[in-house]
Structures are given as structure tokens and as C-alpha cells.
Amino acid sequence: MTEGKRPWILIPAYQPDERLVDAVHALRQMGYDVIVVDDGSDARCAFLFDEVAATGAAVVTHDRNRGKGAALKTGLRWAIERDPSRGVVTADADGQHLPADIDAVARQLDTCPSTLVIGGRHLGADAPLRSRVGNALSRWAFRGMTGMKVHDTQSGLRGLPASRLPELAALAGERYDYEMNVLLVCARGKLDVCEIPIETVYLDGNRGSHFRGLTDAAWVFARLLRFMASSAMAFGIDMGLYYLLLALGWRVASAYAGARVVSACANFAMNKAVVFSHAGNWLKTALQYAALALCILIAGSYACTWLVRWGWHPVMAKVVVDVSLFAASFAVQHAWIFRLSDEAGRDRLS
């Protein structure tokens, strides 16, 4: 590892205990510069942050609890202002990441300075059930959304390249959704990923974790859930109008096309304003969406017509075709039309 250019170690902390002090002390003895972000912890924790500061670590404080994503971005901005040439390794404050594993991720980042390094856990039967289930659901959902295989999508031990820190510090997300948004940057092909194995440590049944099961899982996958709700609304409009046009004597392909045009307009407005909260140009995104809708319309019309000719009921044919096109539509809208950018979802510096 290049001396003097070791990555910063960034630890967001909310209501920590002595394990934070022990971790920071060990990392300081290993020669690392450590940034701890106090994410609005109460007065009972003040002495712990004083002990952290006494080790020579930097302590940055939020006046209220803003969430892990906000704390990470505050730490990234602090690091960029001091030395933008150094990468950052993020770690959790609850003792789950051993100093040796943090060091291993930092060394891997030094070897691959343009790669996102993930310290991946392999959860066995001794891990808490909520952690095993949550990690499995997160892994499967992420792979289904992006086609990208990451074993431990919930790992907080990550090495972030120096060259990408400004982009990563500007991503949307205040809570655990921020860490998923970082992975989505990788899924769009903007950043390579390297996953190295680390020890799996759960202390006291993982009570130190502030990840709150289904509540925070909903935050992580909020964009997908909103997309599904928007699609369900458009699907209702689409099916109702499609059935009406068939009853009025329209041909299958014409009924499909007419229903799709109306539902697509409603779906575009909902996706831009609510699903992706996209602040970009309306005309540009409308034209991009129209191009996607046209491709789906043509493919869906032909597929629906062929299925009906093969003996399928028209309504069943449409359901099968639309479900098949759902994943492709989400991937294109997320990666191209309403992609996360510095203009969409940017958080102001605090």
C-alpha cells in the first residue's frame, strides 16, 4: 500500500457503544486516518465520540439523526475537501467489521483503485434469521432488477475509488437506499465491482444494527416498489380500455395499440414525477419514453396477435405479453430514461 495515500476509513455512527472506540483505536494503530460521522446520537454517547477524537480521528456531527446514507455522504464530502486523491473505505460502527477485514478492503482498493471493493459476508446457519433472509431477498431482487451478481448487497464494508467520490457523494438516498444506489451505479456499467470474503461477525444477535427489517427493506427497494405500483395503475387503465375497444369491434392489434398509447401517457407522468423523482427535461425524457413505448407497443402488438392466432384468449395473451415486457421496461427506464444523475436527486451540502 502506498504510504501517505492510504484510504480514509469512514464510519457512520448512531447511538454507538464502546465497540466504536475499540475499532477506531485499532485502525489508528494500523496507521489509518479515520472519519467518524456522529449521525445525531444523543448526549449519552458524547463521551464515546470524545474518546474517538482523542485517538486522533476526525469527528463530524449531524445535529439530528438523518440516516446512514446522509452520514456517509457527509463523510465523503469531508474527505474530498481534505484530500480528493485518496479513496474511502466505509465500515459499520457496531463491531461487525474486524480491523483486519477493513485493512484487507483498503489494500484491495489500493491494488484496484478504479473498482468498488465490497467486503462480502457468507451468512451461515449461525447468523440471525432476519439477516439471512434480508440478505437473500436483497441479493435476488438486485440480480433480478439489474442482471448483476453481487453476493452481499447489504455489506457496509466497501472501498470507494477516489476518482468516483464526487459522483458518489451526489447520489440520492438518505438511508440504506443510498448504498443500493451506489450498486446501481455499478450495474449501469459505470464502475467495476470486486467482492472479497470477510469474517461474518454478529454480536448479541446483531442488536447493534439499526437496519429495521421490512421497514428499511422498503426504503432499499422503494424505487422498484413505486415502479410496480405505477405499472399496476397503468395496467388497469390499459386492460380496461383494451377490453372496451375489443367490445366495440376493434381488431386485436388496433385495440392493443390504442390502449397502450393512453396508458403509456399516464405511466410516463407517474414514473417521472413519483417513481424516479426525475428533475430532467420533460421533452427529452418524453421523447425517450415514447421511443421505448413504441418499441414495446410494436413488440407487444405482434406477440399478442400471434398468441391469439395460436388459440390464446385475447385478454390472457395480453397479460402474458405485458408481464414478459415488465422487466425490460424497468431496466431501460432506470438505466437510460430516468437514470440517477447529478441533476436528479442531488442532496445539498449541509
Side-chain angles (χ1 to χ4, degrees), residues 27-50:
L27 290 166
R28 291 292 296 146
Q29 285 191 320
M30 296 167 72
Y32 285 103
D33 291 324
V34 181
I35 309 164
V36 175
V37 179
D38 173 9
D39 187 29
S41 304
D42 61 33
R44 291 173 296 179
C45 298
F47 77 98
L48 294 172
F49 291 104
D50 288 341

Side-chain angles (χ1 to χ4, degrees), residues 7 25 32 84 136 163 177 226 230 252 274 331:
H25 181 71
Y32 285 103
S163 61
D177 55 334
R226 293 196 300 267
S230 173
V252 170
V274 178

Side-chain angles (χ1 to χ4, degrees), residues 226-295:
R226 293 196 300 267
F227 184 81
M228 293 174 65
S230 173
S231 297
M233 178 200 71
F235 182 77
I237 296 172
D238 202 9
M239 287 299 299
L241 186 55
Y242 176 70
Y243 193 81
L244 175 62
L245 294 177
L246 286 176
L248 293 175
W250 288 42
R251 294 180 181 274
V252 170
S254 300
Y256 185 97
R260 178 49 59 94
V261 168
V262 174
S263 64
C265 291
N267 188 236
F268 168 75
M270 180 67 71
N271 286 356
K272 180 169 175 55
V274 178
V275 176
F276 297 99
S277 301
H278 191 267
N281 182 274
W282 270 86
L283 179 59
K284 178 182 177 181
T285 51
L287 291 174
Q288 292 173 331
Y289 184 89
L292 171 65
L294 180 61
C295 292

Side-chain angles (χ1 to χ4, degrees), residues 262-341:
V262 174
S263 64
C265 291
N267 188 236
F268 168 75
M270 180 67 71
N271 286 356
K272 180 169 175 55
V274 178
V275 176
F276 297 99
S277 301
H278 191 267
N281 182 274
W282 270 86
L283 179 59
K284 178 182 177 181
T285 51
L287 291 174
Q288 292 173 331
Y289 184 89
L292 171 65
L294 180 61
C295 292
I296 291 177
L297 187 152
I298 294 172
S301 295
Y302 277 106
C304 211
T305 299
W306 289 337
L307 289 177
V308 171
R309 287 177 179 174
W310 291 340
W312 288 52
H313 187 279
V315 174
M316 181 57 67
K318 178 171 171 55
V319 171
V320 171
V321 169
D322 284 352
V323 169
S324 300
L325 292 172
F326 174 84
S329 177
F330 176 81
V332 173
Q333 290 185 56
H334 184 276
W336 178 47
I337 300 175
F338 302 112
R339 64 184 179 274
L340 290 171
S341 68

Side-chain angles (χ1 to χ4, degrees), residues 130-143 153-154 214 217 221:
R130 67 167 182 165
S131 297
R132 299 201 309 270
V133 172
N135 197 279
L137 290 175
S138 176
R139 178 170 62 251
W140 295 338
F142 181 74
R143 188 171 185 181
T153 59
Q154 295 181 5
L214 293 177
F221 297 108

Side-chain angles (χ1 to χ4, degrees), residues 59-130:
V59 177
V60 185
T61 303
H62 285 170
D63 58 0
R64 58 183 175 82
N65 179 241
R66 293 173 51 194
K68 185 179 183 182
L72 287 170
K73 288 186 286 187
T74 293
L76 292 180
R77 291 163 183 154
W78 192 96
I80 292 168
E81 290 176 359
R82 270 69 183 180
D83 188 348
S85 68
R86 299 167 65 179
V88 172
V89 173
T90 65
D92 292 343
D94 55 9
Q96 289 192 42
H97 300 143
L98 301 178
D101 287 329
I102 297 173
D103 179 60
V105 169
R107 291 180 179 277
Q108 184 65 33
L109 181 61
D110 187 65
T111 301
C112 306
S114 299
T115 300
L116 175 73
V117 181
I118 299 176
R121 303 158 297 173
H122 289 264
L123 308 185
D126 55 337
L129 178 62
R130 67 167 182 165

